Amino acid sequence: MLKKTMQQAMNDQINAEMYSSYLYLSMEAYFQSISLNGFAAWMRAQVQEELMHAMKFYDFVHERGGQVTLESIAKPDTTWSSPLNAFEAVLKHEQHVTSLINDLVDLAISEKDHASNIFLQWFVTEQVEEEASVGEVVEKLRLIQDNPSGLFMLDAEMGKRTFSVTPGTPGE
Ligand code: FEO
């Protein structure tokens, strides 16, 4: 049985993951508006990944006999000054999500909630990967600066990303 404090924290995290999905959907629209369809495709995959994260928490709360309560999702930004500006915002957001996951782990440890702690370890690893992959894109965009051919090459590379669920992860 999930304790009330952990149930509330996990409900907050469902909202944070849904907001992440909404933010990246807004970024997908931005990239479509400037005809960078590879970046837009990358964002579409990210939208699905964040929804999957939210659903993992949703399923886990139910598996532990808890109650999911959905709240309003905040309005995301709708435009960015450049692809680099957008991806710097993604990196900042993912660093924020990492801090939220770390806070959840701290709570699980302080409450001696071993099942939640084990569940959360997948997200700890996932955040390392998310920050690394987004950080790499930021670095490439900084190198490219205002070089259009570099941007088009990166756009083509970004377009190869597809969404896939990692087998054997909790909540599946
Ligand atoms: Fe659900 Fe991008 O962290």
Side-chain angles (χ1 to χ4, degrees):
M1 187 76 185
L2 213 49
K3 283 188 190 162
K4 291 290 177 203
T5 45
M6 183 56 81
Q7 175 176 290
Q8 183 58 52
M10 290 209 169
N11 271 299
D12 290 346
Q13 192 62 29
I14 290 170
N15 190 269
E17 301 290 350
M18 293 300 285
Y19 172 77
S20 300
S21 184
Y22 213 35
L23 173 64
Y24 298 145
L25 187 60
S26 189
M27 286 188 178
E28 184 196 345
Y30 160 71
F31 280 114
Q32 290 215 25
S33 76
I34 57 171
S35 300
L36 286 174
N37 294 331
F39 281 89
W42 191 97
M43 282 296 167
R44 175 67 66 97
Q46 192 68 18
V47 166
Q48 292 170 300
E49 193 163 301
E50 298 300 349
L51 279 176
M52 179 264 284
H53 292 172
M55 293 311 295
K56 278 184 187 294
F57 280 100
Y58 178 97
D59 288 340
F60 184 75
V61 170
H62 284 144
E63 277 170 22
R64 299 285 308 285
Q67 186 171 356
V68 167
T69 309
L70 299 179
E71 300 289 346
S72 307
I73 302 168
K75 181 181 188 293
D77 285 343
T78 53
T79 192
W80 291 267
S81 59
S82 65
L84 175 58
N85 179 245
F87 266 85
E88 282 174 338
V90 175
L91 184 57
K92 194 171 165 205
H93 181 67
E94 288 302 330
Q95 287 165 343
H96 169 64
V97 173
T98 297
S99 74
L100 295 178
I101 296 293
N102 288 342
D103 288 348
L104 280 166
V105 173
D106 287 346
L107 181 63
I109 290 168
S110 71
E111 296 214 336
K112 297 186 168 47
D113 184 344
H114 303 297
S116 292
N117 191 9
I118 290 169
F119 167 76
L120 288 163
Q121 295 309 305
W122 184 88
F123 286 91
V124 172
T125 306
E126 176 74 357
Q127 284 309 120
V128 173
E129 287 171 15
E130 295 241 308
E131 285 193 36
S133 69
V134 173
E136 193 180 312
V137 177
V138 168
E139 287 306 314
K140 285 179 180 172
L141 285 167
R142 282 184 183 147
L143 281 172
I144 287 167
Q145 293 188 341
D146 294 326
N147 180 337
S149 57
L151 192 59
F152 289 135
M153 278 174 68
L154 183 56
D155 188 57
E157 186 186 320
M158 298 286 278
K160 291 179 189 155
R161 179 184 178 187
T162 53
F163 173 71
S164 63
V165 175
T166 312
T169 53
E172 283 157 29

